[in-house]
Amino acid sequence: MKNPYQWLADAINNHTWAVAGVAGAIFILALFGLSMVTMETGDDTYIDKNTPRGALLAHYKDTYGSDAIMLIYEADSVRSPDALRYIDHLQEDLRNERYVDSVSGVVDLLKQANGGTLPSSKAEIDAIIGEAPPEMVERMLPSDLMTISVITLDPGVSMSAQKQVLGNIESTIRISGPPPGLSVTVSGNPAFSKEMEGEMGGQMGILILAAMLLMVLAVLLLFSHVRYSLLPVGVVAVGLIMTFGFMGLSGISISMVVIGAFPVLIGIGIDYAIQFHARFDEEIQRGTIPEAVWATVVNLGPSVLIAMSATALGFIAMFFAPVPMVADFGMVCTIGVASCYIAALIIVPVFATVMNYRPKKEAPTSGSQEGGLSFIERYDRILGRLAYTVAKHPVPVILLVAVVAAGGYHLDQSVPISADEKTFVPDDMPALRDLEKITRTMGSTSTIPIIVIADDVLSPETLAWIDQFGIYEQEHNDKITGVASIATLIREHNGGVLPSTRGEVNDVVARIPEPTLKRYLDGNMEAVLEFSTVDMEMSVARDLVKRMQSDAAWNNPPAGVTVKITGTMEMFAAVMDDIAESRTFMTLLGFAFIIGFMILVYRRFRAISPVIPIIFIVGWNGAIMYLLGLDYTPLTAVLGSMTIGVASEYTILIMERCEEELARGMEFLDAIQIAVQKIGTAITASGMTTVFGFAALTLSTFNIISNFGIVTVITVGFSLLGAIVVMPAVLSLMYRYTGRTQAPAAIGAAE
């Protein structure tokens, strides 16, 4: 009975156009899915709502929290009556917008102090501002040149609704007719997220185009010795469209991290295309097109499938990452490598059959002289001699690379971790600069919310604890600038003291306006404290969150009271911990997957040979991260498992070809030499084109992506070094250890 590859080879040889038609139908389906791809920013890309932490954050935002949109007004004098009248009218218009909870600014302070009307002269305005609390004036009117309005949205407003509100606000401002010299800028986290999404869309197009152009250049330089040398580029383009299509059909969104997957896929996909193209070109030089199709599909197809599966397993390890966009990165890469493999397996032989493929140059005769060899042929021989030398003296090579790897694993523990979203985006992004301007003016707009759950949060005992804990944190932590809670709200409406009985509490609560009350109280069983903080780095924020968690336990809440910290700052602090834990876990899981897979496929101990060089490569990566001063981010956290996926293909292909040569009766040193000589050139060409594809990432203005590009380019270089130099040493030791220096029959995937 024919295996699937034999069946496919027969179908291509005998029913070429039928195979092309089926492939075209799949491509059209992918184009349909392409239209369904969406982009995503915000909390959902960092935290899974199905986890307790994610569910708590979603509950907090739906019940209490709300994002604020800031309007920055700048003029020669924002205190002028004309400017303030404009601000007042604009705020009134915006209060009527859907999803807007409240709008506040300096005009509200002026109207409150002037009997509900806006002062008409600058002298009156200056007098009221001079008598107002300085800290309030400093936040609302930091100078005569700038003032800020705060638009608070309803709790639980979705990202799509926030975009709608932003669009309405921007439209209202455009037609509002501000006085001459007054500018209005929309800022805040919703505006930041919207602009970041726009930047991401632009970045994706630029990166894919740059990767394709660099790949074309690399193919022309390194793969020009075959006919139709740009065919692999077309194969990758099809594979990429299929990836987008299946993403859309699967409902996977594009996030900041997922953008980095596409140049990665271009780099890996070109490898598959080049491997099939190079093998077909090799086979056609000594046979007919049907024979070349058969040899390429039947002999190389399973080998590349094993390599592709090992690559996919490295990416599948990312599925278990606690950060959703890292898991999505793994899913996209897994879909992508499978799509590129299928595209290469089908397109290369079908195209060659349709175009009646002929090689550029006939195979060299046995009498060819060294002086008449081309550059590629010379390179083949250099690789073969290097592999033979390494295989004869494997121990020094293994010891050297192992020592370097051990040092890298040690240095890797000192690489810092970053999870601050604002450090990932371009430094000159207007929305980021506007946020920084607000932070300099108003201080940090971030808060650390603590949810208190009890049978009765309005009991005098629980209220006293909430009040006491808020005071304790302010007194014992200089990073906390204030606190607002149901306790502070009740004291504010009760002459500065807390009621001593439940009945008195009920009376005070009844006097508090419902919109104000609902921001700190949900029924009788849940309340929230919101701690305002200074602006700080995320590593400092992580330490603060952990300290507050300890403080909450140390302050002994009343019996039956549960205290939980949540909020965006806590989320990013948790992401830092997740990165620290998951990067090691994903790497170990990737190794476990591949070792198990290799043993399952080959059913022998030496099947782990391709994994050994990768262990060294992962160690080298740690050293590079440390020496280049790079941080681990949600994207670079995938480096270990991605390295396993990328490098395993090269090492597996070397082992497969070596097994093929041994099966023909060749002595093991010669088999290693021939394997590296035959596969090494294709690996180098595909590896260098992969480098060119990954290099496109370094062009990104997103720091998180450009830094990832730097380390992945180096990683691919390490992977090539591991396959061409370290793998021969490993194979030599393995064959010596197992006593197998020659094989009489075909084995493994080459059967």
Side-chain angles (χ1 to χ4, degrees):
M1 183 178 177
K2 293 181 180 179
N3 67 38
Y5 290 95
Q6 292 172 331
W7 179 87
L8 178 61
D10 276 344
I12 292 172
N13 282 329
N14 300 321
H15 308 285
T16 307
W17 289 107
V19 174
V22 173
I26 296 174
F27 183 74
I28 292 172
L29 177 65
L31 288 176
F32 172 73
L34 181 62
S35 65
M36 302 168 63
V37 176
T38 58
M39 303 194 73
E40 185 176 16
T41 57
D43 297 346
D44 289 351
T45 63
Y46 289 98
I47 192 166
D48 185 354
K49 283 186 175 181
N50 295 319
T51 63
R53 174 178 278 121
L56 181 65
L57 178 60
H59 168 70
Y60 164 74
K61 292 207 165 186
D62 290 342
T63 307
Y64 309 100
S66 60
D67 285 305
I69 298 173
M70 314 290 187
L71 299 184
I72 305 173
Y73 307 94
E74 295 177 284
D76 292 338
S77 175
V78 292
R79 295 191 190 190
S80 70
D82 287 344
L84 292 174
R85 275 195 297 272
Y86 167 78
I87 294 172
D88 187 34
H89 291 151
L90 181 60
Q91 288 191 172
E92 287 299 327
D93 290 340
L94 296 178
R95 286 189 179 100
N96 297 321
E97 287 290 337
R98 189 182 179 190
Y99 303 120
V100 171
D101 180 65
S102 64
V103 183
S104 60
V106 69
V107 292
D108 300 290
L109 171 67
L110 295 170
K111 290 166 71 174
Q112 183 180 359
N114 196 49
T117 61
L118 196 65
S120 58
S121 69
K122 194 168 187 307
E124 291 176 295
I125 294 168
D126 291 341
I128 293 173
I129 291 174
E131 295 175 0
E135 63 276 4
M136 184 181 296
V137 173
E138 186 177 352
R139 287 177 63 84
M140 291 185 173
L141 192 69
S143 75
D144 194 38
L145 302 176
M146 183 175 73
T147 186
I148 297 171
S149 290
V150 179
I151 304 171
T152 305
L153 303 181
D154 293 332
V157 175
S158 66
M159 286 296 297
S160 60
Q162 288 184 19
K163 293 175 190 174
Q164 179 183 334
V165 174
L166 278 168
N168 293 342
I169 290 173
E170 289 165 353
S171 297
T172 302
I173 292 171
R174 278 196 298 270
I175 64 175
S176 61
L182 178 68
S183 66
V184 186
T185 304
V186 182
S187 185
N189 287 325
F192 174 79
S193 296
K194 181 181 178 182
E195 185 168 329
M196 183 171 68
E197 188 171 307
E199 287 277 345
M200 282 166 46
Q203 284 285 299
M204 184 174 64
I206 291 171
L207 291 179
I208 290 175
L209 178 61
M212 295 294 284
L213 290 175
L214 288 170
M215 185 176 61
V216 168
L217 177 62
V219 168
L220 290 175
L221 289 174
L222 302 168
F223 203 55
S224 59
H225 60 286
V226 301
R227 192 173 298 279
Y228 306 117
S229 58
L230 290 180
L231 174 61
V233 178
V235 171
V236 170
V238 172
L240 206 62
I241 291 172
M242 290 172 63
T243 303
F244 273 112
F246 294 135
M247 278 181 64
L249 295 171
S250 304
I252 301 173
S253 299
I254 297 173
S255 66
M256 188 190 312
V257 167
V258 171
I259 286 176
F262 298 112
V264 169
L265 291 177
I266 290 172
I268 295 174
I270 194 69
D271 186 26
Y272 300 147
I274 286 177
Q275 290 295 336
F276 279 104
H277 195 170
R279 183 60 179 264
F280 189 92
D281 190 77
E282 177 186 337
E283 296 294 339
I284 196 65
Q285 295 188 47
R286 54 175 178 254
T288 63
I289 288 180
E291 290 171 344
V293 168
W294 180 273
T296 301
V297 173
V298 175
N299 291 339
L300 185 63
S303 299
V304 178
L305 175 65
I306 293 172
M308 186 276 292
S309 300
T311 300
L313 285 171
F315 293 130
I316 288 172
M318 301 176 196
F319 290 11
F320 302 91
V323 182
M325 59 182 170
V326 173
D328 286 347
F329 179 91
M331 291 180 188
V332 170
C333 287
T334 303
I335 293 171
V337 294
S339 298
C340 290
Y341 169 76
I342 293 170
L345 176 66
I346 295 174
I347 292 175
V348 169
V350 168
F351 178 88
T353 302
V354 170
M355 299 302 294
N356 195 26
Y357 188 99
R358 289 290 180 267
K360 267 190 175 182
K361 180 181 177 182
E362 297 299 322
T365 63
S366 57
S368 296
Q369 297 298 314
E370 181 80 15
L373 296 178
S374 68
F375 169 77
I376 294 296
E377 290 165 335
R378 289 175 182 273
Y379 181 70
D380 284 344
R381 296 198 174 191
I382 291 172
L383 289 184
R385 290 167 183 166
L386 174 63
Y388 189 89
T389 302
V390 169
K392 282 190 70 175
H393 309 285
V395 175
V397 174
I398 296 293
L399 288 177
L400 175 62
V401 297
V403 168
V404 175
Y409 280 112
H410 175 71
L411 293 174
D412 184 67
Q413 304 305 311
S414 302
V415 176
I417 297 171
S418 173
D420 187 348
E421 186 176 52
K422 293 179 178 59
T423 65
F424 299 159
V425 300
D427 295 335
D428 59 352
M429 194 169 86
L432 177 61
R433 292 192 169 185
D434 293 336
L435 275 181
E436 291 171 344
K437 185 184 296 184
I438 289 174
T439 301
R440 289 194 301 269
T441 302
M442 302 180 64
S444 174
T445 57
S446 301
T447 61
I448 300 179
I450 295 184
I451 293 178
V452 178
I453 304 170
D455 292 336
D456 183 10
V457 292
L458 292 177
S459 69
E461 182 184 16
T462 303
L463 284 175
W465 184 87
I466 292 173
D467 191 52
Q468 176 267 327
F469 180 66
I471 295 171
Y472 177 88
E473 286 299 313
Q474 289 183 88
E475 292 177 347
H476 290 79
N477 202 316
D478 59 359
K479 300 291 187 298
I480 293 176
T481 58
V483 63
S485 68
I486 186 62
T488 61
L489 197 61
I490 288 174
R491 277 202 289 109
E492 181 183 331
H493 287 77
N494 195 48
V497 297
L498 287 177
S500 57
T501 66
R502 187 66 170 81
E504 292 175 344
V505 171
N506 289 341
D507 291 340
V508 176
V509 169
R511 297 197 300 267
I512 301 174
E514 182 66 24
T516 304
L517 188 66
K518 70 179 183 181
R519 297 193 63 82
Y520 302 100
L521 183 69
D522 184 25
N524 290 333
M525 299 180 65
E526 188 177 279
V528 66
L529 298 90
E530 289 195 342
F531 291 92
S532 54
T533 68
V534 299
D535 189 39
M536 58 189 131
E537 294 182 356
M538 195 51 62
S539 58
V540 178
R542 177 174 63 167
D543 294 338
L544 173 60
V545 168
K546 290 181 178 179
R547 177 175 173 178
M548 292 178 71
Q549 288 171 331
S550 301
D551 289 347
W554 188 84
N555 275 270
N556 295 319
V561 173
T562 303
V563 179
K564 298 179 179 179
I565 298 183
T566 186
T568 302
M569 195 175 294
E570 191 277 340
M571 177 190 73
F572 282 116
V575 168
M576 293 183 71
D577 292 332
D578 290 340
I579 291 172
E581 296 168 6
S582 65
R583 66 185 175 91
T584 302
F585 174 72
M586 287 188 295
T587 302
L588 293 176
L589 192 62
F591 277 125
F593 280 166
I594 287 189
I595 290 173
F597 173 74
M598 297 297 288
I599 292 175
L600 180 65
V601 170
Y602 291 98
R603 292 187 174 86
R604 54 182 181 268
F605 175 73
R606 62 178 174 275
I608 68 169
S609 300
V611 181
I612 296 174
I614 304 172
I615 296 174
F616 300 143
I617 295 167
V618 172
W620 303 344
N621 288 343
I624 284 296
M625 290 284 292
Y626 178 83
L627 294 174
L628 293 181
L630 301 176
D631 294 349
Y632 276 116
T633 65
L635 192 48
T636 50
V638 309
L639 188 61
S641 51
M642 195 191 75
T643 299
I644 294 170
V646 172
S648 61
E649 181 199 349
Y650 301 149
T651 56
I652 288 172
L653 288 175
I654 293 287
M655 185 186 76
E656 281 283 319
R657 188 57 183 258
C658 188
E659 293 287 336
E660 190 176 325
E661 298 303 329
L662 282 171
R664 294 171 179 165
M666 192 172 290
E667 195 269 336
F668 81 101
L669 288 176
D670 294 330
I672 292 172
Q673 177 178 355
I674 294 299
V676 174
Q677 186 169 318
K678 291 295 185 183
I679 295 294
T681 302
I683 283 179
T684 302
S686 61
M688 292 309 297
T689 51
T690 302
V691 165
F692 275 58
F694 285 8
L697 292 167
T698 64
L699 303 176
S700 174
T701 55
F702 278 66
N703 299 325
I704 186 175
I705 297 175
S706 60
N707 289 342
F708 178 64
I710 293 171
V711 294
T712 49
V713 165
I714 295 171
T715 293
V716 175
F718 284 163
S719 299
L720 287 173
L721 185 66
I724 293 173
V725 177
V726 182
M727 189 61 183
V730 172
L731 286 173
S732 177
L733 285 179
M734 196 64 69
Y735 289 139
R736 294 170 195 264
Y737 174 76
T738 58
R740 180 175 177 270
T741 58
Q742 193 169 347
I747 56 176
E751 287 178 343

